[in-house]
């Protein structure tokens, strides 16, 4: 071979290597099969070697120092022989670690990393160590915990404390393998001020306080760490049915009971659709307004924002959502946060099925169209980050919170709707029930979902799988080109009413008849076509500035603030000072920031309000407002 040919061959070879390498990088972005040995991108834990299968917590709540202190006993299952147990932690003060012979064990805590917190490596004496005991206390700044002074509670007499562990904050209150692939059962003994009641995501919650201030709990089903939850405050209980009830501060209990009176009906509807409810009780805990989310599906005890208590039961789809997680998420859990859509996309689908069952298709159509609007604006916000619009996420080196947006919820929902449309509802329901059964109390990957569709829906026929275009939905950006936009009769009416308002022909009686979701769509449809005088005219037809429904108020603020409507400044400030729910804070701050005068109000309000927000909201808002 002459030199020239030799070079040519070498070049072709290099090119070949480059191309195959590119393909394999692309493949790596795909979800893993569960049995592959892999490291969760958000955990230090060595769960491939040894797993925590049960924990016994023994903690005391100290409101004065804003800490939890005590010990946790971690019971271990070995997958391989290993001489260390690696846990996740964040800002925990570890006093000592002992083994099942009460022998002290060595441990090393790494310096904190930007996303994952700290690696806690405990030296083990081989497979003989059945359990280890960690004596520790949390930091007053533990990200999962919010400590609310008495003055900021509804009753104003007693302090309140609650946890929010999802996604990777459990490690700030328990040293644990903090990744959703690891599941464990737990018991807990919690001591607090006898004037307060303690609740957990477990059995043992009692309707009344006891004089000792000591409460015991047990979670007998294996759950991932992000579903561990605790709350303590001046709480009372009211029963709704044999298995459902509401915990809230005494002053807000009756309003809450009225708002969620249909809770049992929801559980019945969900069981008819998805199979038996496997967690025993289903209770709700109404949190103080600073709770950063709408709801959190802590097993047996959903944590809920008070912002859905609006008096007319119009926002209870949020409860249907958290309830639906009892199947999608809590029973069948995403294997890693990259598979987050398996939790939320399925849950949005199940939520809308429950709502359709209870309130009819016109109602669930409204939810779907509003969800589609959210998806469209998310896709437009993420124009420059197309990778973040795949269903299967790549959150390596990133805070999982950053990647958790409407893509998982709404694109995930529309994928399931697409499959349902393709195979018919009856067959899809059979598939759903099979999926929840087959993977009950397990954590699953996106690839396992695809395999199950292949097996159960496509009956092993690859051409049928191709027709479904799952790979396209999951591993490419945006929505497929042939996506059919959803429609809702009730919301189309609101859109038409918005056109009539703009051309001056709207009959004001129309607005009075609206469901809150129609108000929202009406306001969205006015967007960018109004100036301040238009908002003055609107206010005379309907007093949006005084709406007691924060969903409606936020929709109104988003459009009125973006044109610098002065009369929106006070209601905006008032909302920002009285809620900590990120869903309202982010759009309202953003709308304020879009005008010069609004910016001044946003910055001064944030300085005043920041202290009262949960760390989850603060970390998002700090990026927006750079305090
Ligand atoms: N599990 C989520 C809340 C969550 C997600 C907490 C990611 C931390 C990280 C909960 O089920 C949820 O989706 N809540 C929504 C309500 C819903 C109706 C879309 C919320 O809080 O807005
Ligand atoms: Zn959810």
């Amino acid at each position: 071979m002459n030199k020239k040919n030799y070079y040519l061959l070498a070049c072709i070879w290099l090119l070949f290597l480059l191309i195959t390498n590119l393909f394999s990088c692309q493949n790596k972005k795909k979800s893993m099969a569960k049995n592959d040995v892999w490291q969760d991108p958000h955990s230090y834990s060595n769960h491939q070697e040894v797993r925590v299968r049960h924990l016994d917590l023994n903690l005391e709540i100290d409101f004065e120092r804003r800490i939890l202190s005590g010990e946790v006993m971690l019971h271990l299952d070995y997958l391989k022989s290993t001489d260390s147990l690696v846990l996740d932690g964040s800002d925990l003060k570890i006093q000592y670690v002992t083994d099942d012979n009460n022998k002290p064990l060595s441990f090393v805590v790494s310096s904190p990393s930007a996303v994952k917190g700290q690696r806690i490596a405990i030296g083990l004496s081989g497979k003989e160590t059945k359990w280890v005991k960690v004596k520790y206390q949390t930091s007053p700044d533990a990200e999962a915990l919010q400590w609310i002074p008495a003055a900021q509670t509804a009753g104003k007499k007693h302090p309140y404390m609650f946890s929010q562990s999802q996604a990777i904050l459990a490690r700030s209150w328990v040293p644990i393998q903090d990744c959703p692939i690891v599941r464990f059962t737990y018991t807990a003994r919690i001591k607090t001020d006898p004037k307060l009641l303690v609740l957990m995501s477990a059995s043992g919650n009692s309707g009344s306080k006891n004089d000792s201030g000591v409460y015991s709990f047990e979670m007998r089903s294996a759950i991932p760490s992000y579903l561990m939850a605790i709350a303590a405050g001046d709480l009372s209980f009211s029963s709704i049915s044999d298995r459902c009830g509401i915990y809230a501060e005494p002053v807000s209990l009756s309003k809450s009971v009225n708002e969620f009176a249909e809770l049992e009906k929801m559980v019945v509807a969900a069981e008819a659709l998805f199979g038996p409810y496997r967690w025993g009780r289903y209770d709700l805990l109404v949190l103080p307004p600073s709770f950063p989310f709408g709801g959190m599906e802590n097993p047996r005890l959903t944590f809920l924002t008070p912002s859905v208590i609006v008096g007319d039961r119009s926002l209870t789809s949020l409860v249907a959502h958290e309830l639906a997680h009892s199947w999608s998420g809590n029973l069948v859990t995403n294997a890693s946060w990259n598979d987050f859509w398996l939790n939320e996309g399925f849950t949005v689908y199940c939520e809308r099925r429950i709502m359709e069952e209870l309130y009819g298709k016109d109602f669930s159509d409204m939810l779907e169209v509003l969800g589609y609007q959210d998806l469209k604006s998310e896709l437009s916000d993420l124009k420059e980050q197309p990778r973040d619009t795949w269903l299967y996420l790549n959150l390596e080196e990133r805070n999982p919170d950053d990647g958790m947006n409407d893509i998982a919820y709404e694109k995930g929902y529309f994928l399931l709707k697409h499959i349902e449309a393709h195979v018919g509802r009856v067959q899809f329901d059979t598939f759903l029930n099979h999926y929840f059964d087959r993977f009950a109390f397990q954590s699953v990957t996106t690839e396992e979902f695809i395999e199950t569709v292949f097996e159960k829906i496509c009956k092993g026929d690859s051409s049928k799988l191709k027709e479904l275009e799952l790979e396209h939905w999951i591993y490419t950006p945006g929505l497929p080109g042939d996506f059919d936009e959803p429609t809702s009769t009730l919301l189309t009416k609101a859109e038409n009413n918005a056109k009539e308002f703009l051309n001056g022909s709207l009959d004001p009686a129309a607005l009075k008849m609206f469901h809150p979701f129609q108000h929202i769509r009406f306001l969205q449809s006015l967007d960018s076509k109004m100036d301040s005088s238009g908002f003055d005219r609107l206010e005379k037809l309907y007093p949006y500035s005084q709406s007691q429904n924060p969903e409606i108020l936020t929709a109104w603020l988003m459009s009125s603030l973006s044109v610098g409507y002065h009369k929106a400044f006070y209601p905006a400030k008032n909302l920002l000072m009285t809620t900590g729910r990120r869903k309202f804070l982010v759009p309202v701050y953003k709308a304020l920031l879009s005008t010069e005068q609004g910016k001044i109000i946003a910055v001064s309000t944030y300085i005043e309000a920041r202290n009262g927000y949960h760390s989850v909201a603060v970390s998002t808002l700090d990026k927006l407002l750079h305090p």
Side-chain angles (χ1 to χ4, degrees):
M1 194 188 303
N2 67 27
K3 233 175 175 176
K4 217 163 133 194
N5 280 349
Y6 180 79
Y7 277 126
L8 194 70
L9 218 75
C11 282
I12 292 170
W13 180 239
L14 271 175
L15 203 69
F16 172 75
L17 281 182
L18 197 77
I19 291 169
T20 48
N21 199 28
L22 257 177
F23 269 110
S24 78
C25 282
Q26 192 69 15
N27 281 336
K28 268 189 204 137
K29 287 184 192 156
K30 284 200 179 175
S31 146
M32 307 276 186
K34 191 158 54 219
N35 292 332
D36 293 351
V37 175
W38 56 284
Q39 188 60 46
D40 183 293
H42 301 108
S43 170
Y44 287 111
S45 84
N46 61 336
H47 59 262
Q48 316 88 341
E49 296 168 348
V50 55
R51 282 189 188 196
V52 171
R53 63 171 173 78
H54 175 82
L55 53 95
D56 297 307
L57 271 171
N58 186 357
L59 295 173
E60 183 162 352
I61 307 176
D62 184 338
F63 275 92
E64 222 141 81
R65 292 162 67 205
R66 299 188 163 200
I67 60 165
L68 306 180
S69 66
E71 58 202 27
V72 60
M73 204 189 244
L74 304 161
H75 300 254
L76 307 176
D77 258 353
Y78 291 85
L79 281 74
K80 283 183 187 160
S81 156
T82 178
D83 55 8
S84 68
L85 167 68
V86 185
L87 305 174
D88 297 294
S90 177
D91 228 356
L92 299 172
K93 209 188 262 174
I94 297 183
Q95 276 138 295
Y96 59 77
V97 184
T98 53
D99 70 4
D100 40 2
N101 289 317
N102 259 336
K103 211 178 85 198
L105 295 177
S106 65
F107 63 94
V108 181
V109 181
S110 73
S111 52
S113 80
V115 175
K116 291 197 285 188
Q118 288 159 298
R119 178 177 192 274
I120 304 171
I122 298 170
L124 299 173
S125 41
K127 278 195 177 186
E128 297 94 72
T129 315
K130 299 266 182 307
W131 51 258
V132 303
K133 192 197 279 179
V134 184
K135 172 107 174 115
Y136 74 101
Q137 67 183 47
T138 60
S139 148
D141 302 317
E143 294 143 295
L145 307 179
Q146 192 171 18
W147 301 86
I148 297 161
Q152 281 161 36
T153 63
K156 315 240 177 277
K157 284 201 214 98
H158 301 283
Y160 200 130
M161 184 283 287
F162 67 85
S163 68
Q164 167 56 44
S165 299
Q166 197 182 9
I168 55 168
L169 307 181
R171 63 194 66 180
S172 72
W173 67 285
V174 189
I176 191 68
Q177 294 182 317
D178 196 9
C179 45
I181 196 100
V182 174
R183 307 180 80 96
F184 51 83
T185 50
Y186 75 84
T187 69
R189 180 189 176 273
I190 312 285
K191 188 171 179 341
T192 191
D193 179 339
K195 290 195 223 53
L196 307 178
L197 181 69
V198 182
L199 301 172
M200 289 192 83
S201 55
S203 61
N205 290 327
S206 59
S208 56
K209 299 166 195 164
N210 69 50
D211 294 340
S212 66
V214 177
Y215 298 89
S216 300
F217 306 93
E218 185 174 9
M219 171 42 78
R220 289 184 210 102
S221 306
I223 58 163
S225 54
Y226 77 91
L227 294 177
M228 289 195 47
I230 186 168
D234 179 19
L235 296 164
S236 48
F237 175 76
S238 183
S239 171
I240 289 209
S241 69
D242 282 353
R243 59 174 164 182
C244 296
I246 317 282
Y247 290 92
E249 286 190 65
V251 290
S252 32
L253 188 61
S254 70
K255 265 172 128 183
S256 312
V257 169
N258 173 54
E259 202 78 31
F260 308 122
E262 296 183 53
L263 195 54
E264 172 65 31
K265 271 195 213 153
M266 274 188 181
V267 184
V268 171
E271 286 193 300
L273 288 164
F274 318 123
Y277 177 75
R278 307 202 199 201
W279 303 87
R281 293 197 58 84
Y282 183 66
D283 295 319
L284 304 179
L285 167 63
V286 179
L287 288 150
S290 64
F291 184 56
F293 296 107
M296 177 64 214
E297 64 272 26
N298 298 316
R300 295 176 63 99
L301 182 67
T302 281
F303 283 20
L304 216 62
T305 171
S307 64
V308 286
I309 303 172
V310 286
D312 60 7
R313 300 181 188 170
S314 60
L315 303 178
T316 55
S317 55
L318 187 126
V319 176
H321 178 97
E322 304 313 332
L323 167 66
H325 272 304
S326 308
W327 287 264
S328 46
N330 299 4
L331 195 60
V332 181
T333 308
N334 51 209
S336 82
W337 298 117
N338 288 337
D339 306 287
F340 184 55
W341 81 274
L342 289 177
N343 270 20
E344 297 300 344
F346 268 79
T347 299
V348 171
Y349 177 84
C350 295
E351 163 205 330
R352 291 184 186 154
R353 289 293 302 275
I354 296 171
M355 294 313 274
E356 180 182 333
E357 206 54 40
L358 292 178
Y359 306 106
K361 188 157 181 326
D362 277 353
F363 189 88
S364 55
D365 283 352
M366 285 202 284
L367 288 168
E368 183 180 51
V369 167
L370 289 180
Y372 178 60
Q373 295 305 323
D374 292 342
L375 178 57
K376 279 207 294 197
S377 61
E378 194 76 72
L379 285 169
S380 128
D381 289 352
L382 294 172
K383 264 199 313 282
E384 311 300 330
Q385 296 149 251
R387 179 64 183 85
D388 287 347
T389 72
W390 292 23
L391 278 178
Y392 181 67
L393 296 170
N394 179 10
L395 297 172
E396 197 95 25
E397 305 292 323
R398 291 166 72 187
N399 188 329
D401 215 37
D402 295 346
M404 294 177 167
N405 52 42
D406 281 319
I407 302 300
Y409 287 79
E410 298 298 341
K411 186 177 172 184
Y413 162 80
F414 282 112
L415 166 56
L416 297 178
K417 271 281 291 203
H418 158 79
I419 304 174
E420 185 209 296
H422 205 86
V423 302
R425 186 167 267 193
V426 174
Q427 208 198 327
F428 190 68
D429 283 355
T430 310
F431 165 77
L432 260 189
N433 278 268
H434 167 83
Y435 176 81
F436 292 141
D437 248 9
R438 157 82 180 78
F439 295 110
F441 299 107
Q442 291 178 41
S443 305
V444 300
T445 65
T446 297
E447 278 299 302
E448 282 172 309
F449 160 77
I450 297 176
E451 279 160 23
T452 315
V453 171
F454 178 58
E455 201 184 297
K456 288 288 153 189
I457 289 185
C458 309
K459 315 280 184 236
D461 180 341
S462 336
S463 65
K464 286 204 173 119
L465 185 65
K466 228 177 175 166
E467 269 171 43
L468 278 178
E469 297 191 305
L470 293 195
E471 299 258 330
H472 188 70
W473 276 85
I474 293 169
Y475 299 117
T476 69
L479 285 168
D482 58 356
F483 178 76
D484 277 333
E485 295 202 345
T487 56
S488 144
T489 324
L490 293 171
L491 294 190
T492 305
K493 187 170 172 303
E495 288 162 17
N496 291 334
N497 288 152
K499 283 183 203 138
E500 287 163 15
F501 174 77
L502 290 169
N503 68 31
S505 69
L506 178 68
D507 173 2
L511 296 185
K512 305 221 161 63
M513 307 289 287
F514 271 179
H515 181 276
F517 295 161
Q518 290 180 293
H519 280 298
I520 292 169
R521 189 70 202 120
F522 172 79
L523 291 163
Q524 288 174 344
S525 313
L526 298 175
D527 222 12
S528 75
K529 296 176 200 83
M530 295 258 286
D531 57 12
S532 284
S533 68
F535 280 101
D536 271 337
R537 188 160 69 83
L538 180 61
E539 192 66 11
K540 285 195 192 105
L541 289 193
Y542 194 90
Y544 281 111
S545 68
Q546 283 151 51
S547 175
Q548 295 301 306
N549 181 321
E551 296 277 358
I552 299 178
L553 187 64
T554 300
W556 178 76
L557 288 170
M558 283 167 74
S559 40
S560 58
L561 290 172
S562 63
V563 298
Y565 185 53
H566 281 201
K567 292 176 194 158
F569 289 158
Y570 178 76
K573 178 162 183 166
N574 189 42
L575 182 71
L576 298 172
M577 295 300 298
T578 53
T579 186
R581 187 171 168 193
R582 197 164 59 172
K583 182 183 180 190
F584 304 135
L585 297 180
V586 171
V588 173
Y589 274 116
K590 273 191 182 162
L592 275 172
L593 288 171
S594 70
T595 65
E596 281 310 308
Q597 249 193 312
K599 211 177 268 173
I600 297 166
I601 292 164
V603 171
S604 65
T605 308
Y606 190 51
I607 291 169
E608 233 179 291
R610 187 174 180 274
N611 236 341
Y613 296 152
H614 189 283
S615 74
V616 163
V618 167
S619 69
T620 309
L621 294 173
D622 276 0
K623 281 178 217 137
L624 264 183
L625 288 131
H626 321 287

